Each structure stands twice: as structure tokens, then as C-alpha cells.
Amino acid sequence: MDYTGMVEPGGSAQTLELKQLSITKFSVSAMDNNCYLLRDKESGQKLLIDAAADAPRILEVTGTDLSAVITTHKHWDHVRALQQVIEATGARSYAHPDDSPEIPIVTNAVHDGDVIRLGATELSIIHLVGHTPGSIAVRYLDPHGHGHIFTGDSLFPGGVGKTHSTEDFKSLISDVEEKLFKLSTDNTHVYPGHGNDTTIGTERPHLDEWQKRGW
């Protein structure tokens, strides 16, 4: 199956094969949460982004030889399977400390600019304040291609994530502009926490529109 990024709960996973890394996307729960399994091809090490729900389904895709789980933010629909997945795999659990108190299990704190190594693969952490205080995105700069960013609920096709105040929106749109759009090429692939993928180039022309509408 060619990778389209279009998955649904209970449906098949899709895998994008890069030269150094494979990215497997699948959806869980009625909330249509995306989970992403990253596997470094040289070492075989595997990392999951968001153990959102349905631990049996997650473990079916990942196996128990999981090295790490990164949680993009504290919201309940992104963490419901985390405890079970960590207990089943012994994986490290990464999250930003501003969200960690409300995440079931965190073994490693990460901050803006930190690098997590998965075999030969380097993943950088981007702190994006607004959807939650400790929301993070994960960037992979493919040395043989373009960028890939896993944005959690901070950036979607059509806009930034939900915020609950004007101040939070201003913070999030500013961080997204400065840390994602200004530092990414148009062909950078964006993998959100729900729904279909997009690219930085697809979304870039709409930044002013998002600013004006305030969401």
C-alpha cells in the first residue's frame, strides 16, 4: 500500500519507508488519535509517538521491543495507553516537565532543542506553548531527503491546535511561526495528532488568515 497518511481507527496501519527510518502511522479510539511508530533501520530500535489509547492495538503494531515513547502533551486522549505500554515494554517515557505531572508515567524530561537518539537517527524536540504548557513537536531532518515533524495537537491542516485564551493562542501561533514555519522548508511533512498529514508549504500561505481569525 502506498503511504497516503489517511488512516482510521481499527483500520490498517500505513508505513512510509525512508532510507534511514521507517514511519508507521495508525489510528486508535473514537477520538481518532494518530500514533506513530518510528524504526531506525540500521539498529532496529523503535520509538512511539503518543501511546494514546488501546494498548493491545499499539503493542500489536510496535511489539514489546520498544525503546521509547514520546508524549506530545498531557491531554487524556493522548496518554490513556501509556502506562500499559511502558509496563509491557520497559521503554523510556519522554515528556516536557510542564505537562509531566498529568502524564501517567514519565522517566525522562525533555526540553526545547533536546535531541533523542534512536540508533543512528536523531530526533529534536520543539517546545510549543499554547495548546498546553508543555506541548512538544518532534522533528526528523532526513539527511537523504526533507524534514518530517510530528506536531501533536499544535498544528493541523488548516490551523493551529485549540487554545483556551487569547494569550494561549498568541503564544502558540508565535511558536509555530518561529519554530516550525521559519525553520522548515515547504516540502517538510507534517504529521498531526489527529487526521490527515499536510506539509509546511501547504499551510504557510494561511498564516495571516489564522492570525486574523484568532484560532
Side-chain angles (χ1 to χ4, degrees), residues 71 73-74 79 82 93-96 99-106:
T71 299
H73 63 289
K74 66 183 181 181
V79 302
L82 181 61
S93 176
Y94 292 92
H96 192 280
D99 274 12
S100 292
E102 296 176 57
I103 294 174
I105 179 169
V106 178

Side-chain angles (χ1 to χ4, degrees), residues 75 87 90 98 100 121-122 133 159 172 176-177:
H75 285 160
E87 289 175 356
D98 289 347
S100 292
T121 299
E122 291 190 351
L172 181 56
V176 164
E177 285 194 74

Side-chain angles (χ1 to χ4, degrees), residues 29-200:
S29 87
M31 298 290 290
D32 191 15
N33 286 87
N34 294 326
C35 301
Y36 298 96
L37 175 66
L38 280 55
R39 184 179 68 87
D40 176 74
K41 293 184 174 181
E42 181 179 324
S43 67
Q45 291 183 19
K46 296 184 289 189
L47 176 148
L48 179 71
I49 297 176
D50 283 346
D54 194 351
R57 171 59 173 158
I58 289 175
L59 293 168
E60 177 187 13
V61 176
T62 67
T64 56
D65 57 337
L66 194 62
S67 297
V69 180
I70 299 176
T71 299
T72 59
H73 63 289
K74 66 183 181 181
H75 285 160
W76 68 278
D77 60 312
H78 288 258
V79 302
R80 286 175 288 172
L82 181 61
Q83 185 84 36
Q84 289 175 273
V85 169
I86 296 300
E87 289 175 356
T89 63
R92 300 181 302 278
S93 176
Y94 292 92
H96 192 280
D98 289 347
D99 274 12
S100 292
E102 296 176 57
I103 294 174
I105 179 169
V106 178
T107 61
N108 297 73
V110 287
H111 301 82
D112 192 55
D114 284 353
V115 173
I116 296 174
R117 289 177 172 81
L118 184 69
T121 299
E122 291 190 351
L123 306 169
S124 58
I125 300 299
I126 306 167
H127 186 201
L128 303 168
V129 180
H131 183 66
T132 66
S135 287
I136 56 175
V138 181
R139 187 197 309 269
Y140 170 59
L141 293 177
D142 185 356
H144 309 284
H146 53 76
H148 301 260
I149 305 177
F150 303 85
T151 55
D153 284 2
S154 291
L155 178 63
F156 296 97
V160 296
K162 184 177 181 180
T163 54
H164 297 280
S165 70
T166 300
E167 291 73 21
D168 285 346
F169 171 75
K170 288 180 178 178
S171 175
L172 181 56
I173 194 74
S174 175
D175 275 359
V176 164
E177 285 194 74
E178 293 297 321
K179 298 180 180 182
L180 300 187
F181 284 90
K182 285 189 178 180
L183 300 179
S184 303
T185 58
D186 282 351
N187 60 357
T188 297
H189 202 98
V190 173
Y191 307 83
H194 305 264
N196 297 336
D197 303 352
T198 187
T199 66
I200 289 292

